[in-house]
């Protein structure tokens, strides 16, 4: 298979038969602007191509000047890779950190789905020989509102060692126990994600106080498949793996941002 080298990043990769420069760049997370999602409608995915054969597509002729064509400029979405090729991406497009509002004077009362509850448990006695599950359920009567406490088996097996002390913090989602740890040793955190057409922002929030502990942002990587929602919908309709591709891009972006938030505290 033909090999492609991207400059100025220096990254190289093998191209599949019929793969375009834009598709290959997307797989490598190399940013190339494409407002129309690679349909040859916007003329903005311009790159400089160095290869022995430089065919000119109808879209190239429409959007590029004769001088640009002579310099090897082509539209990345139209150029299919058939031989070893060097591609120079042009400046002006970045998926890096975006400038966002990080402070606000507004305040909100939070009511998260995941709650942290401090409790004190008395050890079982001969007169009160309750199991660990029953002791927790009894201590949480008001929180459970008549429902049974659900404890995953992985956590249930650890209860005897986790309940050595008397004071704990329980992390609940409705009537499901998610975690248990000594009081004051940890704090439950949540991530609020703002997925915009252009920018993705991840806020790390203390679920007990509502304080924003860290904020990070990045350009939405889905932008390489369309500058607006309609273009991205069109991309998913025209590409067999379009939905999976867009989902993978945004999930990876969110994971990276949350990891940065966690590293900042």
């Amino acid at each position: 298979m033909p090999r492609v080298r991207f400059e100025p990043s220096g990254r190289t990769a093998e191209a599949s038969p019929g793969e375009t420069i834009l598709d290959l760049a997307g797989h490598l997370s190399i940013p190339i602007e494409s407002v129309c999602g690679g349909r040859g409608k916007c003329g903005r995915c311009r790159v400089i191509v160095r290869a022995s054969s430089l065919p000119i597509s109808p879209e190239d002729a429409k959007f590029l000047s004769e001088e640009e064509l002579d310099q090897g400029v082509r539209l990345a979405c139209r150029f299919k890779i058939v031989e070893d090729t060097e591609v120079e991406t042009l400046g002006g497009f970045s998926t890096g950190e975006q400038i966002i509002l990080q402070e606000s004077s507004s305040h909100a009362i939070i009511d998260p789905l995941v709650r942290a509850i401090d409790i004190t448990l008395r050890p079982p006695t001969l007169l009160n020989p309750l199991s660990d599950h029953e002791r927790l359920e009894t201590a949480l009567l008001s929180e459970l509102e008549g429902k049974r406490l659900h404890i995953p088996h992985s956590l249930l097996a650890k209860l005897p060692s986790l309940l050595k002390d008397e004071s704990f913090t329980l992390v609940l989602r409705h009537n499901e126990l998610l975690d248990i740890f000594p009081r004051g040793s940890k704090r439950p955190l949540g991530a609020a994600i703002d997925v915009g057409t252009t920018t993705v922002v991840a806020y790390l929030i203390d679920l007990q106080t509502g304080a924003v502990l860290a904020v990070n942002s990045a350009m939405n990587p889905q932008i390489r498949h369309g500058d607006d929602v309609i273009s991205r919908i069109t991309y998913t309709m025209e590409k067999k793996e379009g939905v999976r591709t867009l989902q993978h891009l945004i999930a990876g972006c969110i994971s990276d941002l949350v990891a940065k938030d966690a590293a900042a505290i």
Side-chain angles (χ1 to χ4, degrees), residues 95 198 200 218-225 232 246 249-250 252-253:
T95 59
T198 304
V200 182
M219 179 172 285
N220 188 333
Q222 294 177 336
I223 200 169
R224 72 185 61 153
H225 299 298
R232 294 174 199 175
L246 294 184
L249 287 172
I250 194 62
C253 178

Side-chain angles (χ1 to χ4, degrees), residues 66-139:
E66 290 188 10
E67 182 180 359
E68 288 175 315
L69 292 172
D70 291 341
Q71 293 174 348
V73 177
R74 296 292 186 272
L75 298 182
C77 69
R78 300 293 97 185
F79 193 94
K80 293 185 177 181
I81 304 163
V82 296
E83 61 178 327
D84 289 352
T85 305
E86 182 176 300
V87 178
E88 181 180 345
T89 58
L90 304 179
F93 182 66
S94 172
T95 59
E97 184 175 0
Q98 304 297 297
I99 299 176
I100 58 171
L101 176 68
Q102 296 191 2
E103 294 184 1
S104 173
S105 59
S106 64
H107 297 276
I109 298 174
I110 63 170
D111 184 21
L113 184 64
V114 176
R115 297 167 296 149
I117 301 170
D118 294 329
I119 66 168
T120 298
L121 289 181
R122 293 183 179 180
T125 65
L126 292 176
L127 298 177
N128 190 28
L130 295 177
S131 68
D132 291 335
H133 191 163
E134 290 173 316
R135 292 164 61 210
L136 286 175
E137 203 166 51
T138 301

Side-chain angles (χ1 to χ4, degrees), residues 25-61:
H27 295 153
L28 297 175
S29 297
I30 295 175
I32 296 178
E33 185 173 12
S34 177
V35 173
C36 67
R39 295 184 293 131
K41 302 294 184 182
C42 67
R44 293 170 66 172
C45 58
R46 304 180 184 200
V47 294
I48 298 176
V49 183
R50 300 182 181 94
S52 60
S53 176
L54 294 176
I56 300 174
S57 70
E59 292 81 7
D60 290 331

Side-chain angles (χ1 to χ4, degrees), residues 83-216:
E83 61 178 327
D84 289 352
T85 305
E86 182 176 300
V87 178
E88 181 180 345
T89 58
L90 304 179
F93 182 66
S94 172
T95 59
E97 184 175 0
Q98 304 297 297
I99 299 176
I100 58 171
L101 176 68
Q102 296 191 2
E103 294 184 1
S104 173
S105 59
S106 64
H107 297 276
I109 298 174
I110 63 170
D111 184 21
L113 184 64
V114 176
R115 297 167 296 149
I117 301 170
D118 294 329
I119 66 168
T120 298
L121 289 181
R122 293 183 179 180
T125 65
L126 292 176
L127 298 177
N128 190 28
L130 295 177
S131 68
D132 291 335
H133 191 163
E134 290 173 316
R135 292 164 61 210
L136 286 175
E137 203 166 51
T138 301
L140 293 170
L141 281 177
S142 61
E143 297 290 339
L144 296 176
E145 298 179 347
K147 299 178 182 178
R148 295 298 305 273
L149 177 64
H150 172 67
I151 305 178
H153 183 268
S154 58
L155 192 56
L156 185 64
K158 300 177 183 177
L159 281 186
S161 59
L162 293 173
L163 299 181
K164 289 180 179 179
D165 298 324
E166 293 186 359
S167 298
F168 313 94
T169 297
L170 305 181
V171 180
L172 294 175
R173 179 174 56 205
H174 294 308
N175 65 320
E176 180 184 5
L177 182 63
L178 300 179
D179 199 2
I180 180 171
F181 45 82
R183 186 181 299 180
S185 62
K186 299 179 182 179
R187 55 179 171 173
L189 306 179
I193 311 298
D194 180 1
V195 179
T197 306
T198 304
T199 304
V200 182
V201 187
Y203 302 85
L204 191 65
I205 298 173
D206 187 316
L207 293 182
Q208 290 180 299
T209 66
V212 177
L213 306 176
V215 185
N216 275 282

